């Protein structure tokens, strides 16, 4: 929905890396995403979402995005160095932005099929099989995730 990937920064990492805040450190922003449109940058830190500190609640941004999807406005406070940026985000704002994007930018499909990962786990193997299709507005959503374990 917002188009970013993050890592949680705890107080230990904040001090070690001399970062201005704890929270969700943004290490990737998707092309043509709403966060890119807003000017959010790699290295920014989401400090709060919906008034809750992101380093105190691992799921606060997930719940905040669900509120946005339900039509509510949600405030995000983002640290960029010593500066604090405040964004009030709503589904209507996101939809208006997405309507402006060129169709070629919206109509991208990514398919990951028959991907299998086997991880040894204490004498057992955990097998993850994924068939994921990240789709456009014109195509239905599809994802299959299969977990299995072997005693071998």
């Amino acid at each position: 929905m917002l188009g970013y990937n993050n890592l949680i920064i705890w107080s230990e990492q904040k001090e070690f890396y001399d970062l201005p805040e704890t929270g969700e450190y943004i290490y990737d922003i998707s092309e043509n995403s709403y966060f890119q449109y807003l000017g959010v940058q790699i290295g920014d830190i989401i400090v709060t979402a919906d008034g809750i500190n992101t380093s105190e609640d691992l799921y606060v941004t997930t719940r905040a995005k669900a509120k946005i999807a339900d039509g509510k406005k949600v405030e995000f406070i983002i640290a960029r160095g010593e500066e604090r940026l405040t964004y009030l985000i709503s589904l209507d704002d996101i939809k208006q932005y997405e309507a402006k994007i060129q169709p070629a930018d919206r109509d991208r499909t990514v398919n990951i099929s028959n991907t299998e990962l086997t991880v040894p786990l204490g004498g057992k193997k955990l097998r993850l099989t994924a068939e994921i299709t990240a789709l456009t507005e014109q195509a239905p959503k599809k994802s299959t995730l299969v977990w299995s374990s072997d005693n071998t």
Side-chain angles (χ1 to χ4, degrees):
M1 170 183 286
L2 299 176
Y4 71 95
N5 291 306
N6 67 285
L7 297 169
I8 299 295
I9 300 297
W10 306 104
S11 59
E12 296 83 15
Q13 289 96 357
K14 175 189 177 289
E15 291 172 19
F16 184 80
Y17 293 107
D18 195 29
L19 295 170
E21 289 285 346
T22 58
E24 292 189 11
Y25 178 87
I26 298 172
Y27 69 85
D28 181 55
I29 298 175
S30 301
E31 185 178 347
N32 297 314
S33 69
Y34 193 66
F35 259 26
Q36 183 185 44
Y37 166 73
L38 290 176
V40 176
Q41 299 175 7
I42 292 172
D44 287 353
I45 299 172
I46 301 172
V47 179
T48 67
D50 202 24
I52 300 170
N53 189 313
T54 56
S55 65
E56 295 174 6
D57 184 341
L58 293 176
Y59 302 102
V60 65
T61 54
T62 301
R63 287 194 308 276
K65 289 185 248 181
K67 284 184 176 183
I68 292 169
D70 286 341
K72 296 179 176 79
K73 286 191 176 218
V74 175
E75 181 182 78
F76 285 78
I77 296 178
I78 296 178
R80 180 176 300 149
E82 298 301 318
E83 185 179 9
R84 298 296 169 270
L85 308 167
T86 301
Y87 299 99
L88 192 58
I89 300 173
S90 72
L91 186 60
D92 287 340
D93 296 335
I94 294 170
K95 285 183 176 182
Q96 286 176 13
Y97 164 70
E98 289 176 347
K100 294 177 188 177
I101 298 175
Q102 296 297 322
D105 293 333
R106 277 198 315 260
D107 298 340
R108 294 187 179 154
T109 302
V110 176
N111 293 301
I112 303 171
S113 298
N114 301 325
T115 301
E116 185 171 296
L117 173 65
T118 302
V119 180
L121 196 63
K124 296 183 178 183
K125 291 181 184 175
L126 180 64
R127 185 177 298 127
L128 167 65
T129 304
E131 180 183 310
I132 301 168
T133 308
L135 300 154
T136 67
E137 294 174 357
Q138 288 78 28
K141 294 182 177 181
K142 176 183 177 182
S143 64
T144 306
L145 189 60
V146 178
W147 291 89
S148 66
S149 63
D150 296 334
N151 289 328
T152 59

